[in-house]
Amino acid sequence: VVMVSPWQTSRYMMAKNEHVVLRSAIWASMGVITVTMLLYFSAAFVASVSPELGSDTMIWAAMNMMPTLVGVILLTGVLAAGISSGSTFLSLIGFSLTNDLLDPQKVDEKKRLSISRWGMIVASLLVLVMAFFADQIFWIMYFGGTVIAGGWGVVSFASIWSKKLTERGAFYSMLLGFTGCFVARLYTDVFGGSLPFFLDSFFIGIYLSIIGMFLGNMGQTPTEEEIRQREKLFIVPEAEKDPAMMRRTYNTYKVHIVFSIFITCLFIFG
């Protein structure tokens, strides 16, 4: 089980310190929620003008309803977001091939690099073919995102907060969560089935993921090394205990709480 604490992230993100990482994550989450909310409201408005549009609603609006300069900026942003996400996921594919499926002790670095590159090329070609021939690429993306979140969401929390999670428990949790979410999403999106909201594919993935975690943990205990690695996650470096920095971080959390309450009230009473 791979676990990374907030106090370990700055070395990977090249931030000034861990408090900057935490505050940046908070502001970024609020920004994503705000932009997503405005995007869906805008898409609903455009759909009311031209109901026959599908997943390309905002692209059509940029080309037909907006001033040329504004439309160009919007399309540039859409393209930049796609390139950024695409490069990130391709890097993850290459990393997974060389570090999760291959044994670094048995495969030299040069060969692992070559396999990583070929893996990213093959994945790129598959995505290109799907994007070219599929009419509803947005729903394919949404399908995959929900399945992934339902598969590893429980493990991502349990790997940090659970003292009983084992390697087998994490594997069974992700396996059952992924399978349940995938089958449910396939039933509703491909075969046109209908399920009550509490049996949405995401929730089914979460339910089965929890069951898989408990089944996998039965008769197992974490190893001494796993226990030590988890305990290290909760050790705050002395350099991060500056009272002024901690106060700024806590205040940022308070802003996020107020923002969350506002958004909740907006959707309930707005």
Side-chain angles (χ1 to χ4, degrees), residues 83-116:
I83 293 175
S84 174
S85 300
S87 62
T88 299
F89 283 109
L90 285 176
S91 298
L92 289 174
I93 290 172
F95 181 84
S96 297
L97 283 174
T98 56
N99 290 274
D100 297 336
L101 300 182
L102 299 178
D103 188 347
Q105 304 297 328
K106 298 180 180 180
V107 183
D108 63 85
E109 185 176 351
K110 184 176 181 180
K111 186 174 182 179
R112 286 161 52 201
L113 179 61
S114 177
I115 294 174
S116 175

Side-chain angles (χ1 to χ4, degrees), residues 68-225:
T68 302
L69 179 60
V70 177
V72 169
I73 293 175
L74 174 59
L75 291 178
T76 303
V78 172
L79 182 61
I83 293 175
S84 174
S85 300
S87 62
T88 299
F89 283 109
L90 285 176
S91 298
L92 289 174
I93 290 172
F95 181 84
S96 297
L97 283 174
T98 56
N99 290 274
D100 297 336
L101 300 182
L102 299 178
D103 188 347
Q105 304 297 328
K106 298 180 180 180
V107 183
D108 63 85
E109 185 176 351
K110 184 176 181 180
K111 186 174 182 179
R112 286 161 52 201
L113 179 61
S114 177
I115 294 174
S116 175
R117 289 172 174 172
W118 278 108
M120 288 188 283
I121 291 174
V122 172
S124 301
L125 293 176
L126 289 175
V127 172
L128 180 62
V129 171
M130 292 177 63
F132 185 80
F133 290 103
D135 294 330
Q136 297 293 335
I137 191 65
F138 171 80
W139 293 109
I140 295 175
M141 177 274 300
Y142 187 67
F143 181 101
T146 307
V147 169
I148 293 172
W152 62 260
V154 171
V155 173
S156 66
F157 285 97
S159 61
I160 296 176
W161 299 108
S162 174
K163 296 181 180 180
K164 299 180 179 180
L165 181 65
T166 63
E167 181 179 357
R168 191 177 73 180
F171 176 77
Y172 283 7
S173 177
M174 290 187 289
L175 178 62
L176 290 184
F178 174 86
T179 304
C181 192
F182 178 81
V183 171
R185 178 63 69 174
L186 198 68
Y187 172 71
T188 56
D189 289 0
V190 178
F191 297 103
S194 178
L195 294 171
F197 76 94
F198 56 87
L199 288 180
D200 181 80
S201 59
F202 174 77
F203 294 122
I204 291 178
I206 295 296
Y207 304 150
L208 291 180
S209 187
I210 294 174
I211 293 173
M213 182 175 64
F214 280 106
L215 291 177
N217 286 341
M218 292 177 61
Q220 295 257 312
T221 56
T223 64
E224 291 296 327
E225 181 182 1

Side-chain angles (χ1 to χ4, degrees), residues 3 5 35 40 117 148 152 180:
M3 299 178 287
S5 75
V35 171
Y40 281 116
R117 289 172 174 172
I148 293 172
W152 62 260

Side-chain angles (χ1 to χ4, degrees), residues 35-36 38-46 53 55-83:
V35 171
T36 303
L38 294 175
L39 176 64
Y40 281 116
F41 286 166
S42 302
F45 171 76
V46 175
L53 292 174
S55 58
D56 57 348
T57 298
M58 296 307 298
I59 296 177
W60 181 88
M63 299 175 63
N64 296 275
M65 297 181 65
M66 299 180 182
T68 302
L69 179 60
V70 177
V72 169
I73 293 175
L74 174 59
L75 291 178
T76 303
V78 172
L79 182 61
I83 293 175

